[in-house]
């Protein structure tokens, strides 16, 4: 616990080797984390990875089998949910449909026996902060989806929790409103200064809003880092494939030289100059990840850049970009090219050189899954 104790000086939340078992399955498998005060921390992972179980442990709806949960330095393992300095926003919001906005927000304050004048003051204040002034008497059913979302946030934030836990709260919104609420949630978190712990399977939500993101798989964290670091410097094949779009090419390690790796790909093409990750050995299988926006198609290859012969299958318009489907090295790949006139005109069946800067690619040991 030495590291966890040191972390509590600047952290609102510390988990130390947290475990939750269901039979022989470890849904949460020795998770350790430290969430700085006033930050937006997201836990990102596919369905079934254990993120909701972890959130339930933090909220007090379930108890860990091993390890500790500390909020502002106080151990919470046996503390009941209603006695933790924590509140929670659910995907379906759980607003009371027969109560006014003010009564919904006042619900927790009444349970805390806050006097009526103070309740009215705090309700008016929090509605101003979430951009809904003067809506105290409205019914939730009279509000838009985004307004109901803000009422649900206001109901939690009015209680001034140390942690606000959010369990995929944007999942029920349509795409345009979801995009709008991503920005609003980030602004609200900064305005209130409350520590947010946000659960999602949507990597776009995590990347846009978070100060730090923990990528979770099979009960463990693969990597915890800033969104930019996760995107540009993934530490595992799972993170490389799960965060953002990526192309994955199977290859064999030919040589390791001064921290760089040379690969032979499935069609016999040889690419070199990519940074070597731990575990690579000559003669062993490897997987090369390169993002669609890092690829370019040219008639001739620039010196010092990796390149493959690629055939254009189809080109799709995608707003500011073209999404180009290609075959190269015996596999289907995708490139994302800007619609600014800089990309070549492409026809189905056309063969070009596909290239990328080696520094933008990642190579990991092992064959693709």
């Amino acid at each position: 616990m030495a590291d966890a104790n040191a972390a509590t000086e600047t952290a609102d939340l510390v988990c130390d080797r947290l475990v939750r078992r269901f039979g022989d399955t470890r849904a949460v498998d020795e998770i350790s984390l430290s969430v700085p005060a006033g930050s937006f921390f997201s836990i990102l992972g596919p369905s079934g990875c254990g993120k909701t179980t972890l959130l339930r442990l933090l909220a007090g709806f379930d108890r860990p089998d091993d390890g500790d949960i500390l909020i502002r330095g106080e151990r919470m393992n046996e503390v009941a949910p209603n006695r933790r300095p924590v509140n929670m926003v659910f995907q379906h919001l759980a607003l009371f449909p027969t109560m006014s906005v003010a009564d919904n927000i006042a619900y927790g304050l009444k349970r805390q026996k806050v006097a009526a004048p103070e309740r009215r003051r705090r309700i008016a204040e929090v509605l101003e902060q979430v951009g809904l002034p003067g809506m105290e008497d409205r019914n939730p059913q009279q509000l838009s989806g985004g307004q109901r979302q803000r009422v649900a946030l206001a109901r939690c934030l009015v209680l001034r929790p140390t942690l606000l836990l959010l369990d995929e709260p944007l999942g029920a919104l349509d795409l345009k409103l979801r995009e709008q609420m991503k920005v609003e949630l980030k602004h609200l978190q900064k305005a209130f200064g409350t520590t947010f712990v946000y659960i999602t399977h949507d990597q776009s939500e995590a990347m846009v809003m978070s100060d730090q993101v923990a990528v979770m798989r099979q009960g463990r964290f693969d990597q915890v880092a800033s969104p930019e670091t996760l995107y540009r410097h993934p530490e595992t094949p799972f993170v490389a494939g799960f965060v953002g779009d990526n192309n994955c090419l199977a290859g064999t390690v030919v040589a390791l030289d001064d921290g760089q790796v040379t690969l032979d790909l499935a069609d016999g093409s040889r690419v070199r100059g990519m940074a070597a990750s731990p575990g690579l050995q000559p003669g062993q299988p490897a997987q090369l990840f390169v993002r669609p926006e890092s690829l370019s198609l040219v008639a001739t290859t620039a010196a010092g850049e990796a390149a493959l012969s690629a055939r254009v299958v189809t080109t799709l318009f995608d707003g500011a970009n073209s999404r180009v489907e290609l075959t190269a090295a015996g596999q289907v790949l995708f490139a994302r090219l800007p619609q600014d006139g800089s990309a070549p005109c492409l026809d189905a069946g056309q063969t070009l050189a596909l290239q990328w800067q080696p520094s933008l690619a990642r190579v990991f040991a092992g064959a693709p899954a």
Side-chain angles (χ1 to χ4, degrees):
M1 282 292 294
D3 292 341
N5 288 336
T8 59
E9 295 180 8
T10 57
D12 272 349
L13 171 66
V14 170
C15 294
D16 184 54
R17 297 186 293 274
L18 210 58
V19 175
R20 181 67 175 104
R21 302 182 191 90
F22 295 98
D24 294 332
T25 301
R26 288 192 173 203
V28 174
D29 190 3
E30 295 200 11
I31 288 288
S32 293
L33 65 89
S34 176
V35 180
S39 64
F40 198 125
F41 186 91
S42 288
I43 301 169
L44 170 67
S47 297
C49 72
K51 57 187 185 294
T52 297
T53 300
L54 177 55
L55 199 72
R56 287 175 56 81
L57 294 175
L58 301 181
F61 301 144
D62 197 1
R63 291 189 179 182
D65 294 301
D66 292 299
D68 291 302
I69 300 168
L70 296 96
I71 298 177
R72 290 193 176 169
E74 293 188 21
R75 189 173 182 274
M76 293 284 146
N77 290 36
E78 287 80 33
V79 177
N82 64 327
R83 296 189 177 276
R84 298 188 184 198
V86 169
N87 222 314
M88 191 165 180
V89 179
F90 298 92
Q91 179 175 341
H92 298 291
L93 305 183
L95 295 174
F96 298 110
T98 59
M99 292 184 181
S100 67
V101 166
D103 287 339
N104 266 279
I105 297 172
Y107 183 79
L109 295 174
K110 288 179 179 178
R111 290 177 64 88
Q112 292 182 352
K113 302 190 185 306
V114 175
E118 175 65 7
R119 287 203 306 269
R120 288 193 293 271
R121 187 192 68 78
R122 285 169 63 173
I123 289 167
E125 180 182 72
V126 76
L127 283 173
E128 183 74 33
Q129 289 175 299
V130 300
L132 298 174
M135 292 199 176
E136 290 89 340
D137 296 329
R138 297 276 187 94
N139 185 281
Q141 297 179 15
Q142 297 175 301
L143 305 179
S144 68
Q147 289 172 329
R148 288 195 296 273
Q149 188 80 56
R150 281 181 273 171
V151 172
L153 286 165
R155 184 175 61 181
C156 294
L157 291 168
V158 77
L159 299 174
R160 300 168 183 169
T162 299
L163 297 180
L164 184 60
L165 309 178
L166 301 102
D167 187 9
E168 306 209 43
L170 307 186
L173 303 180
D174 62 53
L175 178 60
K176 186 172 183 180
L177 186 53
R178 198 157 63 239
E179 292 298 314
Q180 177 186 335
M181 284 304 301
K182 281 192 248 182
V183 177
E184 289 196 19
L185 269 177
K186 181 65 174 177
H187 288 331
L188 285 170
Q189 188 270 325
K190 291 300 181 187
F192 280 88
T194 304
T195 301
F196 279 22
V197 178
Y198 190 96
I199 297 293
T200 184
H201 67 274
D202 185 326
Q203 53 96 9
S204 173
E205 291 179 9
M207 300 294 276
V208 167
M209 296 186 290
S210 309
D211 299 309
Q212 278 199 313
V213 180
V215 181
M216 193 170 185
R217 177 172 64 104
Q218 296 178 349
R220 293 188 169 218
F221 289 162
D222 262 35
Q223 187 174 355
V224 182
S226 69
E228 182 176 356
T229 297
L230 286 176
Y231 193 83
R232 299 188 184 281
H233 305 287
E235 293 179 353
T236 69
F238 178 78
V239 174
F242 191 75
V243 177
D245 295 328
N246 230 328
N247 295 296
C248 181
L249 289 155
T252 302
V253 179
V254 175
L256 296 166
D257 183 28
D258 201 21
Q260 296 185 338
V261 60
T262 299
L263 296 179
D264 276 352
L265 302 181
D267 67 343
S269 303
R270 180 163 290 186
V271 291
R272 52 176 57 86
M274 286 80 64
S277 62
L280 292 171
Q281 297 292 333
Q284 293 187 342
Q287 37 197 323
L288 164 64
F289 287 88
V290 58
R291 296 201 180 276
E293 67 271 19
S294 298
L295 297 173
S296 58
L297 289 162
V298 294
T300 58
T301 306
E305 292 194 332
L308 298 174
S309 175
R311 185 176 65 85
V312 177
V313 177
T314 188
T315 301
L316 302 174
F317 176 76
D318 187 20
N321 301 298
S322 291
R323 178 180 168 90
V324 184
E325 181 183 351
L326 310 153
T327 55
Q331 296 181 230
V332 176
L333 307 178
F334 292 93
R336 188 176 293 121
L337 305 180
Q339 290 272 10
D340 59 3
S342 62
C345 294
L346 302 174
D347 297 314
Q350 186 176 359
T351 299
L352 294 165
L354 178 68
Q355 69 180 26
W356 63 89
Q357 294 179 16
S359 63
L360 299 178
R362 291 289 174 268
V363 180
F364 298 99

